[in-house]
Amino acid sequence: MTRVLVVDDEPQLVRALVINLKARKYEVDAAHDGASALAAAAARPPDVVVLDLGLPDMDGTEVIRGLRGWTRVPIIVLSARQASDEKVEALDAGADDYVTKPFGMDEFLARLRAAVRRAEPMAAGGTEAVLTTASFTVDLAAKKVHRGGADVRLTPTEWHLLEVLVRNAGRLVSQKQLLQEVWGPAYRTETNYLRVYMAQLRRKLEDDPATPRHFVTEPGMGYRFEP
C-alpha cells in the first residue's frame, strides 16, 4: 500500500487530504511543521511527500533539501505562492511537482498518481539495457546511473526524464513530448520544468554542464541525447 506523508499547518486542509487519500486506500501520515516532517519521513519512509512551503518553523524548501540528502521519494509541493521564481526554487531544491492553492482534489489526486508511477521500479522481466557514454553509464533495467565508479543519485523525475531521452538516443524529443511523458498531459506548456530538470541532469552527469556534450538543446524545439 502506498504511504503518503502530508506536511501542512492548515488543519482543515490536512483533514481533507487525509480523508480523500484514505478513501482511496492510501496510508497517510501527517506533520504540521518541518522538523516533524523530517522526523516522520525518517521513522516511516513514505512513498510520496505532499508538502506546503509555508511552515511555521522553516521554509518548505529546507524540508525538500533535507529529504533529498537521503531519499529520492517524489515530493509534491502544495503552496499558495504563485510567483514563477518561487516555483523554480522549489523545483531546484528537488521537488517533483508544484500545485498552487486553491486546487481541485481530482487534479491533485491525478498528479499524486503520476508521481507514484514515476517512482515505481521498472516492471520485472523488462528488457535489460545498459548504455555507456564517455562520462557515465545508464542501466535502464536496474534504474541506475554510474559516473566515476560511483552511483549518481537521481530523483524519480530526473530518472524518468533521462530514461525518455536515452530510449530516444540520437533523436530530437520535443518539449511537448517530454512534458507529456514525464509529467503528464496537463503539463504540456510547463517548459520551465524542463529547463530546471535538464540543468540538474547536466550538473550531475555532464563533465562540463555549461557546454553539454550529451544533453543537447535544440532551441525552441526540444532536446536530444547524444551517447
Side-chain angles (χ1 to χ4, degrees), residues 53 81-93 95 98-100 190 192-193 196:
L53 293 181
R81 302 176 187 176
Q82 300 186 24
S84 178
D85 58 341
E86 291 182 300
K87 294 181 180 181
V88 169
E89 183 182 5
L91 293 168
D92 269 334
Y98 195 108
V99 179
T100 303
E190 299 284 353
N192 61 312
Y193 279 38
V196 169

Side-chain angles (χ1 to χ4, degrees), residues 7 31-40 51 55-60 62-63:
V7 187
H32 301 287
D33 58 44
S36 298
L38 292 171
L51 172 70
L55 300 173
D57 60 339
M58 67 178 75
D59 193 83
E62 295 181 55
V63 178

Side-chain angles (χ1 to χ4, degrees), residues 156-168:
T157 302
E158 289 168 354
W159 169 262
H160 199 179
L161 179 59
L162 174 65
E163 183 179 37
V164 173
L165 289 168
V166 166
R167 290 189 182 281
N168 290 277

Side-chain angles (χ1 to χ4, degrees), residues 7 34-35 37-38 41 49-55 58-79 81 86-98 153 155 158 197 200:
V7 187
L38 292 171
V49 175
V50 178
L51 172 70
D52 182 27
L53 293 181
L55 300 173
M58 67 178 75
D59 193 83
T61 55
E62 295 181 55
V63 178
I64 296 171
R65 293 188 182 99
L67 290 169
R68 284 290 171 256
W70 62 275
T71 179
R72 300 188 300 175
V73 62
I75 301 172
I76 301 175
V77 169
L78 295 183
S79 179
R81 302 176 187 176
E86 291 182 300
K87 294 181 180 181
V88 169
E89 183 182 5
L91 293 168
D92 269 334
D96 295 277
D97 198 357
Y98 195 108
R153 295 175 66 90
T155 68
E158 289 168 354
Y197 277 92
Q200 290 175 187

